[in-house]
Structures are given as C-alpha cells and as structure tokens.
Amino acid sequence: LENSRTKMRSAVSVREGQGVVLLCGPPPRAGELSFAWIFNEYPSFVQEDSRRFVSQETGHLYIAKVEPSDVGNYTCVVTSTVTNSQVLGSPTPLVLRTDGVMGEYEPKIEVQFPETLPAAKGSTVKLECFALGNPVPQINWRRTDGLPFPSKIKLRKSNGMIEIPNFQQEDAGLYECITENSRGKNVARGRLTYYAKPHWVQTIEDTEVAVEDTLYWECRASGKPKPSYRWLKNGEQLSIEGRIQIENGALTISNLNLTDSGRYQCIAENKHGVIYSSAELRVVASAPDFSKNPMKKLIQVQIGSTVDFECKPKASPKARCSWKKGGEQLHENERITFLKDGGLRIANVTKADAGSYMCLATNQFGTASGSTSLIVTEPTRITLAPSNMDVTVGESVVLPCQVQHDPILDISFTWYFNGTLTDFKKDASHFEKVGGSASGDLMIRNIQLKHSGKYVCMVKTEVDSVASAADLIVRGSPGPPEHVKVDEITDTTAQISWQEGTDNHSPVTTYTIQARTPFSVGWQRVTTVPDVIDGKTLTTTVVDLNPWVEYEFRVVASNKIGGGEPSLPSEKVRTEEAVPEIPPSEVSGGGGSRSELVITWDPIPEELQNGEGFGYVVAFRPSGTTTWIQTVVTSPDTPRYVFRNESILPFSPYEVKVGVYNNKGEGPFSSVTTVFSAEEEPSIAPSGVSATSLSSSVIEVSWTAIPWKMSSGRLLGYEVRYWNNGGKEESSNRVKAAGNETSVRITGLKSNLAYYTAVRAYNSAGAGPFSATVNATTKKTPPSQPPGNLVWNVTNSRVILNWEEVRAMENESEVTGYKVLYRTSSQPSMNMLSTDKTTAELLLQSHEDYIIEVKATTDGGDGTSSEQILIPRLASMDARGSGPSVLSIFSVSSFLPTIFSLTLNSML
C-alpha cells in the first residue's frame, strides 16, 4: 500500500452513544475511486452494517452510534478502479469522552443523494442514504408515487444504498429515503431524471438515381431529449432551396442533375451526444439498355388467362415504352393495357394472340428494343379423377388420375397425402405410380390404418396446374381399449370396466376379457356375465375366479374385420379368501418301516388353496372300524404323513382320506382309499445257494425260494452280493432278482478268478439275513488266435471249408470245437453250424453272395473270429478260393470249363 500519511491526525473525542463522521480527505479525483477504512492495523477492515457505513461518494466513515468497541485508530484507503493503485490517509484516533453517555436522539441524515440526478439509459444508478442516531436508525426506501420497486432493484449495505441496474424511462421519478428510530424519523428526497444519447433507428445507404428523378433519403434516431437533424454534402452544410427540402431528418431532392452527385451526411444530436450516418449519391444519365435486364424470350399461357409482358431496360431518365406485334403498333382496348412500369397486359388470351411482341424504349439519350414470343396452349383437364374409397386393412387399391393436355407441354404428376408430398422411393413398399405418360394413377399396396386420409393428385405443366382430391377410409380391427380397471372384487368374481379405444372406422361388435395370474400360462380368456359383451357395453362381471389369487385383466375389442390389440393390463388385484373347495388327489401310501402307516397325496397348488393358513387334515382307521383318527399337516407343500405306533400290524389295510382347510374353515375330504401299513421284512435266509462258472466272465448263482406268507407283505425279490478273492466283503457289488426268480447271472467278471457270493430276500420294509457264502472260479479266457488259412471249394451248391487248428495258450481255455457262422448278403443275422473238426460242409443257395466266418469254442467262451470271406453268387460252375486276399473277377468265356481259382477280398 502506498502510504500518504505524514503524521497522526488529531483525535476525535465522542461520548458513548453519540454519532460520528470520520473524514477521508481523499486526493484529487483521477478517474473512478473506491473507499474502505482500516481499523487499527492492516488487514483489519471496518465491516459495514446498520451502525457503520462507508460512503463511496464522499469516502467518509459514518458511525450512527459509537460503542466502546469502536475505540481505536481509523485509516482511510482510497483505490483507483482504473489503475488498481491504493493510497492510505493519515490515521484518525477515536476516543471516548469520560463526561457521560449520550442520550437518545432522533435520526440525523448525514449521507444523502442530490435533489435532481440525471441518469443515462442502460446505466446502473446507486443512491446512498445514512443517518446518525440513538438508537441506531432503520433505513427504508420508496417511490413518492407509491409504485412498487421492480425485482431488478436491490437494497444493499443494510439498506444504506439502493442500486438500479439497466436504468430505463420507467425508473425515473422521485425517490425517498426514510430513516427512523424510537425518537423520530427524517426523510431525504431526490429526483432521478432519464436521458439517452441519440441512437440510430434508420440510416441512409449508398444509392444510384437517374437524372431528373427524385431522391428521398430518411434518417431517424431515438434519444432523450429528442434529437435534432442536420445534413452535410461533401462536408459542408446543405443549403435548402426549391429542389432541396429537409423535414424531420428526411432529405428530398427533386429533378436531379449530375451536379447533385456527392457524399451526404445526416447528423442527429442532443445535449448528450452526436451520431453520424453517411452515404454516396450517384446521379446517372444513360440511353435505354436491355443487356442487364433482357426481356423474356418465351412466355407460355393457356387460352382464357391473362399475360403480362415486362419491359424494364436500364435507362436514365426512365424510358418511354411502346409496343408492336408482328410490326403493327398496339393500342389499348378492353383486353390490352399499357402498364405504368412500361409493361403490357393482355386479358382473356386467345389463340390469335400468339406471336412475337416488341417493346421500343426511348429517352433523350437514345432508343433500344426487346421482344418476347407468346405461345397459347389448350388448358389441362383431369379426365378421370380419384374418388372417395372405403377399404379394409391389407387390401390394395388404385386411385386414378388421368388427364387431357396440350401436346406441346410437358406434364408432371405429384401426389399429396394429408398435405405432405408423397415420396415414392421412401414409401416404395406401399406406394407406386402406375399408368402411361398421360396417367398418374396411384397404387397403394397392403394398405394400413395409417393410410387413411386425403389424397390430392396435382398435375402441372409450364403454364397451368390442376388438382383433384379424394378421401380414403381404411377400416381395420379395433385399437386397444383404454383405462381398464377393477371396480369391485369378491372371492370368485371381479367387476371390470374400461373405456373404448379407436374403432378404426369399423364399429366394435364385441369385447372379450382375458386374465393372467402368477400360475397361468400367459393370458387366458375368462367367463363373464353376460357371456357375450356387445360393443356398446363397457363393463362386465368376471366369474369362476379362484379365491385368494392375484389377477390382472385386459380387454380385447373385435369388429367385423377381426380382433384388435389387447388393452394394457389392469392393476393387480387379489380375490378375497374362501374355504378350500378341492381335496387332494392321488391319495395313496404304503411302505415304510415296521409299525408305520405311510399316507401320501398330491399337494394342492397355491392357486387352489383359497386363502392363508392352508393345510391338510389326514384321517385314517383300520379297515372294518368306525372311528377315524385325525391329524393336521400345516405345511401346504407336504405330500405325505407317517403314523408310527407299535400296535400297527404288518401289512394291515387302513381306510384313509385327506381333507383341506385354511383360515376361512375346513373344505372337503378326498374319497376313502385303502392303504396297507408297512410290511415285515424277511426273517430267514435263502437255502440251497450254489454258484457255477459259465464262462470266463459269467457266473450263475441259484437258490431255493424262502417260505413266505402274504400277511407279512409282498416279497419284492432277492439281492445277490458278490466279491472276488482279492476284494473285501464290505465293498461287494450287488445284483437283484424278482421275487419269483431263483437264479441270476453275474456278468462282466474277470477271467480265471474266484468269486464269493451270498443271497438275501427283501421287500419294502427291508432286507432279511444273508445266506451262507458260496464261491466259483471263472474260466480261462478263450484263445485270442483266430482260425487261420481258411480255404473253400464250391461244387454246385456245396461249399467245403477247411482251416487250421487253433491251439490255446497256457492261460487260455482249451478248444472244444468250432462255430461256422454264415449268412447271405441280404440277411441281418448269422446262421451257425457247430463242429469239433477243422472242416465243414455247407449246402448254399447259388443265387446270392454268402459271408462266412469261423471261431473256436471253449469252456471260457468263443474265441476270436476269423476274417470274413465272401463267396460270390455262382451259377452251375465250380470254384475255389481262400481268404483273405484281393478279389479278382475274370470273364468266364476266357477259360476252359474247369475248376479255377478266385481270390477273395476281405470283408473287414
């Protein structure tokens, strides 16, 4: 901060409660200044409030009522808003006098605004007002005329300043500042006046005017006070004479000559400012010239119309025009008129008016001419116009538009739909133009509801246009009904109402109601009263609903076109509770453990439970007794109940029924059915158990059936447990046999291995004790070597086969014989011939191919098959062969009729 203080100012001594003004004493003003005060030391500034005020007009600090906390040094800070530089004044000490406290007194206004203050348009006006007093005065503002302040006016600095932004004419007037405390009040008044610098409303622009014509230039400006006007030409005051007149800013110069050309300036001014508008005037003189604005070469009109010919050559002064047709001078009559701008008008044109028209333009500087040819055509007429139509969605229609026109004219067709030009490319899926050159027929394919409306065919030529319109009504199935709501709900009924939707130009004939629940598959039609809802009815009662189920409803309207879109769903509503009506189905039971009665049923689905607190009542009694035993099952999803009691005899018949209930009461019972109590498990083990090895992988176990009486239940079957020599009994495998069987084959076993097995009986109550353990050893595996060197001979229908003997390895079963498997190429399964030799003879039919293979047989099962051989179909000739090798076929006629050899292809 720049410090301008040289010494401490004299102390200002005041009583507590007294008002005081500390003077800033600012330096000479250099632009806009702002003021603040430091209290004691920088940067502690005086905070303005209702008691303290810093005037931005005087710079002084005003304290309305001094308090002990105000004692200290005060320094004025002056800031230039242009340079942002600051200057500090000398400190002024403020001290309290000790000779008493100042009493209360009425406000004394120390800061006020001028009696008259001019304010510029658009400026921000700030008025200050502050008073000393005890108690501290309150400050309020008002307009003397009583008008309320607009919202843009702001009160600042605890009402010590009023701010009026964007000052306008309506803000001018008398303003009052009212200062008031308990001892009295004082008022300061001042008038704000409005002024505005001149502002252009209309300026002048460069212009070019023909000699002898009149110039009219007007410039207008706004301002307060109203501006006055002056005119200059080439920088000198324009003198008023006969040809030159000035009135309210308007300049008129008549009968212009070349010396009037120059730079003109209009000046608008009031006491607040001056503004200028300049423009160039060029006065021109020239002979007529059509080069810049030639006449039209050709005009086409139709018979009976009116035609205008333009003749506007550039000429200064304006040219006089005369007209000729084909060399003959034209004169005005009832059809021919000469226009003021030099043009020619011919009304009610006929074919005879066709030809060339010449305009001759003349002024004192010269003459020029131009011509226009006129062609008169026949009018265009629509011979087949579109007519109003009524169609159904999905149909295709043609709107005709055919015309007769003058052959020398080109013609175009356009269609408008509801006022919009039809775009045939964009709408090609529905709209297409059809017909010849003199036809603009419109085809609409697969018509939709959106195509209803007005269609206009517009026919245009160079000289005329004609149009014809037709209304197209498209009828379709109804739109969705609206505002579906449920007005009333009971346990099985709902009162539904709705509002009609669009009928799409075909009245609604019926409504149907659909419902949806969390348990239904989509929307389902529901029963209503009345059953058939006609198109004028907008309410119905839905019946046969399930109690205590959440429903949504929707409505579908139909007309003679068909069914429409469904409405939006209603709000979800729940039917009221009711006693359950449907008992469980499939009541059955049986099984379980000793001394148990097991009762089962299919649970009732939620939508049929009819209310909360749903459960089952299970009733049962021994067959032949009269007293029911009842119990309650509270879970609605439970499908069974087990009654346990040591007094229950095995496999005893019981009469059983299951009922339903909920919070509203008990529902019906199911029909009575008979259920048997749990059976008694077998108590003895099967006897006569034996095990026999059938092959290298199969053992057969057999036993004697146990004695069994039906009063103990039903014997379900037998369980056979088996394990091998290296395994443990606890990890044994099991197979089961039906109750009437006394043997079972165990397959998939390992070869040449001892297996142990035991048998026990079982039923639904459990299994009985195991029999004594028996064992059997599986046989060795059959030989892996197939029969080799398989050779065959065919004589007539007899086939003789020979092969090499198969020798078993030490760990393989001994060969006991051979199987010869054979079939025709068309048979699905093999025939078999057994033999203990290495040769076999087959009697075969000769009309088909045969496939043959051979395998060894052992106690451990069949060995590996030889590769298949093919014996081809042979007539009465002899053949021989061996396999496997490559098959070759030779022509019979190439050889002598003797036995010959064929090589055969392997079939594998």
Side-chain angles (χ1 to χ4, degrees):
L1 293 174
E2 182 185 339
N3 198 331
S4 66
R5 43 186 165 174
T6 55
K7 62 176 182 176
M8 185 75 74
R9 283 180 164 184
S10 341
V12 176
S13 180
V14 294
R15 290 191 180 93
E16 182 181 347
Q18 185 179 351
V20 68
V21 179
L22 302 182
L23 306 182
C24 181
R29 281 184 175 255
E32 292 294 322
L33 303 177
S34 66
F35 302 92
W37 284 77
I38 296 174
F39 179 55
N40 288 331
E41 293 295 333
Y42 177 84
S44 175
F45 286 89
V46 173
Q47 300 300 311
E48 296 182 77
D49 52 25
S50 59
R51 196 171 62 83
R52 293 169 293 191
F53 183 82
V54 176
S55 171
Q56 296 302 315
E57 293 292 331
T58 66
H60 303 332
L61 170 63
Y62 300 82
I63 303 177
K65 172 190 171 187
V66 173
E67 295 179 353
S69 60
D70 295 327
V71 172
N73 294 325
Y74 290 83
T75 304
C76 178
V77 180
V78 184
T79 303
S80 168
T81 57
V82 177
T83 64
N84 209 30
S85 59
Q86 294 182 326
V87 176
L88 271 63
S90 300
T92 301
L94 178 67
V95 297
L96 284 183
R97 290 169 54 171
T98 57
D99 55 351
V101 176
M102 182 75 173
E104 294 185 349
Y105 64 97
E106 69 178 21
K108 178 185 178 187
I109 296 177
E110 289 289 344
V111 180
Q112 66 183 74
F113 46 96
E115 289 185 7
T116 301
L117 180 63
K121 174 185 177 181
S123 63
T124 297
V125 178
K126 297 178 181 178
L127 305 180
E128 292 183 337
C129 181
F130 193 78
L132 311 183
N134 187 3
V136 175
Q138 287 187 335
I139 304 173
N140 289 295
W141 294 80
R142 65 184 290 272
R143 285 179 63 122
T144 306
D145 57 14
L147 291 175
F149 287 154
S151 59
K152 70 176 182 177
I153 291 183
K154 308 295 180 189
L155 294 174
R156 305 196 185 280
K157 299 170 75 166
S158 301
N159 289 9
M161 183 181 75
I162 185 173
E163 183 178 299
I164 309 172
N166 191 24
F167 191 80
Q168 299 296 323
Q169 178 83 52
E170 60 269 18
D171 296 321
L174 195 60
Y175 285 76
E176 293 183 355
C177 165
I178 301 104
T179 63
E180 186 174 11
N181 65 10
S182 58
R183 306 298 295 176
K185 73 175 179 179
N186 269 306
V187 179
R189 296 183 180 85
R191 181 176 298 280
L192 290 178
T193 61
Y194 172 83
Y195 74 88
K197 297 176 182 179
H199 176 75
W200 284 122
V201 175
Q202 180 176 330
T203 58
I204 59 174
E205 296 181 353
D206 293 347
T207 188
E208 187 177 282
V209 188
V211 69
E212 299 180 2
D213 277 358
T214 297
L215 167 73
Y216 179 79
W217 256 340
E218 182 180 14
C219 60
R220 282 188 291 126
S222 62
K224 186 72 182 286
K226 185 177 180 181
S228 61
Y229 300 93
R230 293 184 290 120
W231 283 86
L232 304 179
K233 177 186 176 185
N234 297 331
E236 295 182 358
Q237 189 73 30
L238 186 63
S239 57
I240 299 175
E241 52 173 282
R243 291 188 312 113
I244 302 174
Q245 297 294 323
I246 299 175
E247 184 177 357
N248 291 331
L251 170 64
T252 305
I253 305 177
S254 57
N255 194 22
L256 285 166
N257 57 54
L258 295 176
T259 61
D260 292 321
S261 297
R263 190 74 179 172
Y264 288 76
Q265 204 167 35
C266 175
I267 303 171
E269 57 190 327
N270 65 14
K271 64 181 180 180
H272 301 293
V274 180
I275 53 176
Y276 303 86
S277 176
S278 300
E280 186 80 23
L281 170 64
R282 290 183 64 234
V283 180
V284 293
S286 64
D289 180 9
F290 282 97
S291 62
K292 296 288 179 65
N293 191 21
M295 292 176 63
K296 285 184 179 179
K297 284 188 164 76
L298 181 68
I299 295 177
Q300 290 182 327
V301 296
Q302 67 177 3
I303 294 173
S305 62
T306 296
V307 61
D308 285 350
F309 296 88
E310 273 192 357
C311 183
K312 293 181 178 178
K314 184 177 181 182
S316 300
K318 181 180 175 182
R320 298 180 301 279
C321 296
S322 61
W323 288 86
K324 290 182 178 181
K325 180 197 175 191
E328 293 186 8
Q329 193 73 32
L330 290 178
H331 302 283
E332 285 191 308
N333 56 32
E334 68 274 4
R335 291 198 309 118
I336 297 176
T337 305
F338 296 143
L339 303 177
K340 288 184 179 180
D341 63 358
L344 169 66
R345 174 173 293 164
I346 303 176
N348 194 18
V349 172
T350 68
K351 280 279 190 180
D353 293 323
S356 179
Y357 290 78
M358 185 177 71
C359 172
L360 191 65
T362 305
N363 68 7
Q364 63 264 44
F365 299 109
T367 301
S369 64
S371 62
T372 298
S373 292
L374 177 66
I375 295 176
V376 181
T377 61
E378 295 286 345
T380 304
R381 291 186 302 108
I382 294 179
T383 56
L384 183 57
S387 58
N388 295 341
M389 299 185 73
D390 191 320
V391 296
T392 301
V393 166
E395 294 181 349
S396 295
V397 298
V398 174
L399 297 178
C401 185
Q402 298 179 14
V403 299
Q404 180 179 337
H405 65 98
D406 194 299
I408 71 169
L409 297 176
D410 291 328
I411 191 168
S412 66
F413 295 88
T414 51
W415 282 89
Y416 291 84
F417 171 50
N418 289 337
T420 302
L421 180 65
T422 300
D423 186 336
F424 285 92
K425 288 185 179 179
K426 183 179 178 182
D427 299 322
S429 59
H430 292 289
F431 294 133
E432 181 185 355
K433 272 186 188 174
V434 294
S437 60
S439 171
D441 296 353
L442 172 65
M443 172 177 278
I444 310 175
R445 290 192 180 88
N446 187 23
I447 204 160
Q448 300 298 308
L449 290 170
K450 64 183 180 180
H451 296 135
S452 288
K454 182 179 286 295
Y455 288 81
V456 177
C457 175
M458 179 73 70
V459 186
K460 288 185 179 180
T461 68
E462 299 97 313
V463 298
D464 63 350
S465 65
V466 289
S468 183
D471 289 320
L472 189 62
I473 298 174
V474 181
R475 303 189 190 278
S477 55
E482 299 176 346
H483 304 112
V484 178
K485 61 179 182 175
V486 181
D487 300 319
E488 187 179 337
I489 192 84
T490 69
D491 56 347
T492 60
T493 68
Q495 185 77 29
I496 310 294
S497 64
W498 60 91
Q499 294 178 11
E500 55 190 343
T502 56
D503 65 7
N504 293 328
H505 307 117
S506 181
V508 174
T509 54
T510 59
Y511 290 100
T512 55
I513 312 300
Q514 297 175 346
R516 180 173 65 182
T517 73
F519 317 107
S520 65
V521 180
W523 291 91
Q524 305 291 330
R525 183 171 177 176
V526 291
T527 306
T528 59
V529 176
D531 185 43
V532 177
I533 309 166
D534 65 53
K536 296 181 180 178
T537 301
L538 299 177
T539 182
T540 191
T541 300
V542 180
V543 296
D544 298 338
L545 300 177
N546 290 328
W548 199 239
V549 171
E550 192 173 65
Y551 281 90
E552 293 175 277
F553 298 95
R554 70 182 188 184
V555 183
V556 179
S558 299
N559 58 17
K560 67 178 183 180
I561 310 299
E565 293 180 48
S567 68
L568 292 174
S570 67
E571 291 187 357
K572 293 180 180 179
V573 292
R574 186 182 283 275
T575 48
E576 296 177 354
E577 292 182 281
V579 174
E581 296 179 350
I582 299 177
S585 62
E586 303 298 328
V587 176
S588 182
S593 302
R594 182 193 294 269
S595 302
E596 287 184 348
L597 175 64
V598 178
I599 301 169
T600 61
W601 60 89
D602 283 351
I604 298 295
E606 185 180 345
E607 65 266 31
L608 299 178
Q609 294 173 6
N610 290 10
E612 292 187 304
F614 181 84
Y616 302 96
V617 179
V618 181
F620 55 93
R621 64 187 179 189
S623 292
T625 64
T626 57
T627 304
W628 291 98
I629 303 169
Q630 289 193 357
T631 188
V632 172
V633 177
T634 58
S635 171
D637 299 325
T638 298
R640 70 199 302 265
Y641 170 71
V642 179
F643 176 64
R644 296 179 179 86
N645 194 297
E646 293 298 328
S647 65
I648 295 179
L649 296 176
F651 207 56
S652 299
Y654 279 79
E655 292 180 343
V656 173
K657 61 181 180 179
V658 182
V660 287
Y661 73 92
N662 63 16
N663 290 347
K664 299 292 284 186
E666 290 190 17
F669 276 92
S670 67
S671 58
V672 176
T673 187
T674 298
V675 174
F676 284 84
S677 62
E679 301 169 313
E680 183 178 20
E681 69 271 16
S683 59
I684 60 175
S687 60
V689 178
S690 65
T692 304
S693 175
L694 298 184
S695 72
S696 63
S697 62
V698 179
I699 289 177
E700 183 176 69
V701 181
S702 58
W703 58 90
T704 301
I706 66 168
W708 186 257
K709 57 180 183 295
M710 282 303 295
S711 61
S712 298
R714 290 163 294 193
L715 181 66
L716 294 183
Y718 296 90
E719 179 184 277
V720 179
R721 184 171 62 175
Y722 64 95
W723 64 98
N724 61 40
N725 194 22
K728 294 182 179 180
E729 184 176 353
E730 295 75 20
S731 61
S732 59
N733 295 311
R734 299 163 193 262
V735 293
K736 288 187 175 181
N740 58 353
E741 294 181 359
T742 57
S743 67
V744 70
R745 290 190 176 187
I746 304 173
T747 60
L749 304 179
K750 295 180 180 179
S751 63
N752 197 26
L753 190 63
Y755 280 88
Y756 297 86
T757 180
V759 185
R760 64 178 176 178
Y762 72 93
N763 63 7
S764 64
F770 274 107
S771 68
T773 301
V774 297
N775 67 77
T777 300
T778 53
K779 299 182 183 300
K780 294 179 181 181
T781 57
S784 58
Q785 175 193 352
N789 197 18
L790 184 59
V791 177
W792 56 270
N793 287 288
V794 176
T795 303
N796 293 330
S797 295
R798 288 190 312 117
V799 176
I800 298 173
L801 299 171
N802 289 279
W803 59 89
E804 292 180 352
E805 180 184 2
V806 175
R807 298 187 181 279
M809 306 281 287
E810 185 178 346
N811 61 344
E812 294 177 337
S813 295
E814 288 297 325
V815 175
T816 59
Y818 296 92
K819 289 179 181 178
V820 178
L821 304 173
Y822 61 97
R823 66 177 177 85
T824 67
S825 57
S826 61
Q827 286 179 326
S829 59
M830 289 282 193
N831 301 305
M832 187 185 73
L833 173 68
S834 295
T835 179
D836 57 0
K837 300 180 175 61
T838 58
T839 182
E841 183 178 314
L842 299 175
L843 186 63
L844 304 179
Q845 300 294 326
S846 61
H847 62 274
E848 283 194 75
D849 297 343
Y850 272 86
I851 297 168
I852 299 176
E853 63 184 74
V854 180
K855 61 174 69 174
T857 59
T858 69
D859 289 342
D862 292 342
T864 306
S865 293
S866 68
E867 296 194 28
Q868 290 183 335
I869 61 171
L870 173 68
I871 300 179
R873 180 179 58 198
L874 298 170
S876 59
M877 59 181 294
D878 297 336
R880 77 170 64 151
S882 64
S885 60
V886 179
L887 173 64
S888 300
I889 302 295
F890 301 94
S891 171
V892 175
S893 62
S894 302
F895 296 90
L896 295 174
T898 58
I899 298 175
F900 59 93
S901 176
L902 292 176
T903 57
L904 296 176
N905 194 5
S906 169
M907 298 299 295
L908 296 178

